[in-house]
């Protein structure tokens, strides 16, 4: 409950375009999703998607089975209001990903930008739903910030992030991003793209 209260407060007191992780164009995330080769009817989930604009770009590219999951109801409502009538084309899930009741093989593409690095306890990382199919996860890099929004975060390189998912997942690609925040600072991010057959 404490995590939910924290994130509801963030989205109630800050404009969604002013939070440090905001991206108008989530270029890398969208590129990775497109490069999976999955069709427009692939089931895609954006974990911690909240108010992110990734869903806008997916709808513009005619992806038909998009789910956005976030612990914050406020964040989801921001995205829904922005999308207006198009929000009806999306499945919205208000849930903590470490407690969400999601079938492991429900999604063809699992995308998570900046949720996994908040899971500081091994129990939470183990409870994080282990997806199948294509998995795209972005966290703070090993030389990235040590905290975000008042919370401590874990930092990873491609090898250590891949290790968290286990040997069932094949690491196909990784890259680093120097994310420019809305207030002019830089955050170093690592992306890993894995696949579990």
């Amino acid at each position: 409950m404490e995590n939910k209260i924290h994130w509801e407060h963030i989205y109630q007191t800050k404009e969604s375009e002013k939070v440090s992780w905001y991206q108008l164009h989530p270029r890398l995330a969208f590129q990775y999703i497109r490069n999976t080769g999955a069709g427009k009817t692939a089931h895609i989930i954006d974990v911690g998607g909240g108010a992110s604009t990734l869903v806008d770009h997916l709808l513009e590219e005619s992806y038909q089975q998009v789910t956005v999951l976030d612990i914050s109801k406020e964040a989801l409502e921001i995205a829904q209001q922005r999308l207006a009538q198009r929000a009806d084309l999306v499945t919205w899930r208000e849930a903590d990903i470490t407690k969400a009741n999601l079938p492991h093989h429900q999604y063809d593409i699992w995308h998570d930008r900046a949720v996994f690095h908040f899971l500081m306890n091994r129990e939470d990382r183990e409870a994080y739903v282990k997806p199948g199919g294509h998995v795209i996860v972005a966290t703070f890099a090993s030389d990235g910030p040590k905290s975000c929004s008042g919370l401590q975060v874990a930092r990873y390189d491609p090898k250590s992030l891949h290790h968290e998912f286990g040997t069932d997942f094949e690491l196909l690609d990784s890259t680093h991003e120097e994310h420019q925040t809305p207030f002019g600072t830089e955050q170093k991010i690592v992306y890993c793209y894995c696949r579990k057959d």
Side-chain angles (χ1 to χ4, degrees):
M1 181 58 75
E2 289 183 6
N3 280 340
K4 180 170 178 58
I5 292 171
H6 177 84
W7 292 110
E8 295 293 12
H9 177 73
I10 291 292
Y11 282 101
Q12 288 166 0
T13 57
K14 294 185 178 182
E15 296 179 36
S16 60
E17 295 88 357
K18 298 295 177 62
V19 294
S20 64
W21 54 92
Y22 175 75
Q23 288 183 310
L24 179 59
H25 301 292
R27 180 185 58 82
L28 267 177
F30 186 74
Q31 178 180 317
Y32 269 119
I33 290 171
R34 187 165 51 192
N35 288 350
T36 66
K40 301 299 185 181
T41 59
H43 289 259
I44 302 171
I45 185 167
D46 187 15
V47 177
S52 166
T53 61
L54 178 61
V55 63
D56 306 55
H57 294 275
L58 292 173
L59 292 179
E60 287 168 8
E61 290 293 318
S62 301
Y63 286 97
Q64 300 168 28
Q65 304 289 340
V66 180
T67 296
V68 178
L69 181 148
D70 203 279
I71 197 171
S72 169
K73 179 180 180 182
E74 187 79 20
L76 294 172
E77 288 178 348
I78 290 169
Q80 291 165 3
Q81 292 169 9
R82 184 181 68 239
L83 289 170
Q85 292 182 343
R86 291 194 298 162
D88 293 337
L89 302 174
V90 179
T91 300
W92 305 93
R93 295 288 302 267
E94 179 189 344
D96 180 337
I97 193 57
T98 65
K99 299 177 176 65
N101 183 21
L102 299 176
H104 286 199
H105 303 293
Q106 182 171 340
Y107 301 103
D108 303 299
I109 301 174
W110 179 283
H111 174 262
D112 168 1
R113 179 179 179 268
V115 171
F116 194 77
H117 61 211
F118 284 109
L119 306 182
M120 297 298 294
N121 299 321
R122 175 156 297 280
E123 294 79 8
D124 287 338
R125 294 195 297 274
E126 290 175 349
Y128 182 93
V129 177
K130 297 297 191 293
H134 303 277
V135 182
I136 302 155
V137 176
T139 70
F140 285 133
S142 55
D143 56 349
K146 296 180 180 180
S147 64
C148 180
S149 298
L151 298 175
Q152 186 180 1
V153 297
R155 300 182 296 172
Y156 295 93
D157 58 28
K159 183 178 179 180
S160 61
L161 183 54
H162 177 228
H163 177 75
E164 290 289 339
F165 285 84
T167 56
D168 288 345
F169 292 84
E170 180 184 4
L171 179 60
L172 298 179
D173 191 27
S174 65
T175 192
H176 287 78
E177 177 185 46
E178 295 182 352
H179 168 62
Q180 302 298 317
T181 70
F183 31 90
T185 59
E186 183 181 274
Q187 295 178 336
K188 294 186 178 180
I189 308 288
V190 61
Y191 279 78
C192 281
Y193 167 38
C194 303
R195 186 174 62 210
K196 181 180 180 181
D197 292 327

